[in-house]
Amino acid sequence: MHSLQQGILDGSGDGENRGTSAWGIDGALIPSLPSKWNPLRVLKHVLWPFNGSDAPKPLRPTAYLDGLRGFCAFLVYIHHNLLWSHGSANFGKALAFENAFGWRGEFYFATFYGIRNFVTGGHIGVATFYVISGYVLTTKPLALVQSGELLKLGDNLASAFFRRWFRLFLPLIVTTFIWVTSWHVFGIWNFNCPPKATVGEELWNWYVEFKNFSFLFKEGPNSIWVTYNTHLWSIPLEMRGSVLVFMASLALSRATTRARLLCEVFLAWYFLYIVDGYYCALFMTGMLQADLDLLARRPDGYFPRFLRRLEPYKTFLFYHAFAISMFLAGVPSSTNKVEDVRANPGWYWLSYLKPQAVFDPKWFFLFWGANLLVASVPRLGWLKRFFESRFCQFLGRISFSLYLVHGPILSFLGDRVYHAVGFVRTAGVGVEQLAWWANRFPLPLTGPYGLELAFLLPQLVLLPFTLWVADVVTRMVDEPSVKFAAWLYKRTLGGGVAEPKLEDPVALMRLE
């Protein structure tokens, strides 16, 4: 069974500084300024952060999770760009992307089993984010529980719990504030949010929306939506799931190992089959996977015997688990009606597995798909090496910022570029504002559906620009937010240190 290195298990060594983060900042620490401060060098670092002379850094044991999370963020980018471009009135077949191969007699290569995960993989991406978060947020607490270091567990959870809201919402405050003020400063029109009459009215509306959006216990149908960037709906659920696993780690800290594992299984079952808490179930199974991986390295502790007996067959089993995860990841998701899932080829009988409690059937199948994916990656060498590649590690480092900025860039720059190459809305919002851009540089709309030249060529502009902005936001907003949260927690302690190496908050935050 795959496991973490002993340094993480005993809470010492590399595990403290080299852990994996949930929506974290993974990779190198913020570089310190040279003794002779050179503003031109700093400006170059901001505008062009990539340095080809940088030597590859040693990978930590869970680096594959960084890469997996980053690649999932990349899939979210592709998903939203495809739906945006192909949803135009003159093209109008974006629904095919959200359904299975052969839906309504339409057989597109982009919707073929497995292939469609690279096209509309945003859904499985979000589900995978939650499993990874449950895993990495509880790795250190569970290691302390298994080692019997309950005093350190209290310090760890207090620090993590205090900083979590700031870690998730401070970057949202900064990025959405810049976004809403840009409309008035530069006179930018965007598809999602028509500007208010005045800057003051705009900022008041932004404040009201954000304070409600960031309140953990807000209820109602629009409790997790913010109109300024609708793609951020998953962040409040990320916060709720974080609270859940923190509390579960504390509540089960004195339980026996067998009882703790059974409680984790029960909670995952409860949130998925009894109540509609799919994201809680995803967090809990992430915690369960972390617990099992840690236990697999402890020869003196309890580990389920039936899992030990499967050890000789793990490669065979996890190849099949990965294949199943790829199929389930492509669950039809055009609506939240199980009847529509049932109408898709290959999903008729599977649709009857949906529990009564689950409102949107796709999350039930994505629950199993995401868990099988996270469990399979470290046990299939070629797949693990892919997510440990430099490209995936880079995506992992900027994943949170990429998630934050790709929507605004799409609704401002992407909307204009897609109109210019031929994806034109002939009716509805934006027709008058974008009339000048329509078919300015027309490109062929022929080719495999979803892989047209008119879609691929704009990515030579949109993708590098989006990645660059995400990298800048990571270094200028995300990482300082992490450091601020750690500084603030340290101040509440009277300037003391809550746990080892809190003076290095960026490294410490990687465990969270």
Side-chain angles (χ1 to χ4, degrees), residues 5 27 31 42-43 102 107 127 150 156 214 220 268 281 330 379 424 445 447 449 511:
Q5 290 182 348
V42 174
L43 182 63
F107 299 90
L150 300 187
N156 176 270
S214 60
R379 297 167 176 90
V424 180
L445 293 174
Y449 184 55
L511 279 169

Side-chain angles (χ1 to χ4, degrees), residues 176-198:
T176 55
F177 177 80
I178 294 174
W179 177 228
V180 300
T181 54
S182 69
W183 309 338
H184 297 272
V185 174
F186 301 106
I188 299 173
W189 180 90
N190 74 91
F191 177 81
N192 279 338
C193 299
K196 304 295 181 185
T198 65

Side-chain angles (χ1 to χ4, degrees), residues 162-385:
F162 182 94
R163 292 177 285 124
R164 190 60 174 163
W165 187 95
F166 298 99
R167 193 274 164 277
L168 290 175
F169 287 102
L170 280 183
L172 271 67
I173 294 175
V174 175
T175 54
T176 55
F177 177 80
I178 294 174
W179 177 228
V180 300
T181 54
S182 69
W183 309 338
H184 297 272
V185 174
F186 301 106
I188 299 173
W189 180 90
N190 74 91
F191 177 81
N192 279 338
C193 299
K196 304 295 181 185
T198 65
V199 177
E201 185 181 351
E202 193 79 72
L203 292 180
W204 176 254
N205 188 72
W206 167 78
Y207 161 74
V208 171
E209 279 208 11
F210 183 82
K211 72 176 179 65
N212 295 331
F213 172 77
S214 60
F215 178 44
L216 182 62
F217 301 105
K218 178 74 166 62
E219 297 180 355
N222 298 318
S223 61
I224 59 173
W225 295 96
V226 58
T227 56
Y228 292 110
N229 190 348
T230 55
H231 298 154
L232 303 183
W233 65 268
S234 66
I235 304 303
L237 301 186
E238 177 83 24
M239 183 65 201
R240 297 177 191 179
S242 302
V243 172
L244 170 67
V245 293
F246 287 152
M247 293 299 95
S249 299
L250 181 61
L252 300 175
S253 60
R254 296 183 180 275
T256 64
T257 301
R258 186 192 301 265
R260 186 177 67 251
L261 292 175
L262 289 175
C263 286
E264 290 165 1
V265 171
F266 171 79
L267 286 172
W269 172 78
Y270 170 78
F271 287 121
L272 188 65
Y273 285 89
I274 306 302
V275 297
D276 190 15
Y278 69 90
Y279 61 95
C280 295
L282 288 163
F283 269 83
M284 285 307 308
T285 46
M287 178 179 177
L288 176 63
Q289 289 200 42
D291 210 347
L292 290 171
D293 280 351
L294 291 167
L295 287 171
R297 289 284 293 177
R298 300 184 68 90
D300 57 336
Y302 169 82
F303 189 82
R305 278 181 290 182
F306 78 94
L307 292 179
R308 291 284 190 198
R309 292 171 181 170
L310 296 176
E311 178 74 18
Y313 316 104
K314 67 177 183 179
T315 302
F316 172 84
L317 292 174
F318 283 107
Y319 263 109
H320 285 74
F322 177 68
I324 294 172
S325 75
M326 290 295 95
F327 178 82
L328 296 178
V331 57
S333 51
S334 58
T335 73
N336 56 21
K337 297 179 180 179
V338 70
E339 294 80 11
D340 291 332
V341 175
R342 197 165 293 158
N344 279 262
W347 287 92
Y348 181 82
W349 294 110
L350 286 174
S351 67
Y352 286 98
L353 296 177
K354 184 196 83 71
Q356 177 276 331
V358 177
F359 173 72
D360 189 339
K362 74 171 177 285
W363 291 112
F364 171 74
F365 297 102
L366 292 174
F367 166 85
W368 292 106
N371 274 285
L372 291 174
L373 175 62
V374 173
S376 301
V377 169
R379 297 167 176 90
L380 300 178
W382 62 272
L383 195 57
K384 182 182 178 184
R385 287 190 295 272

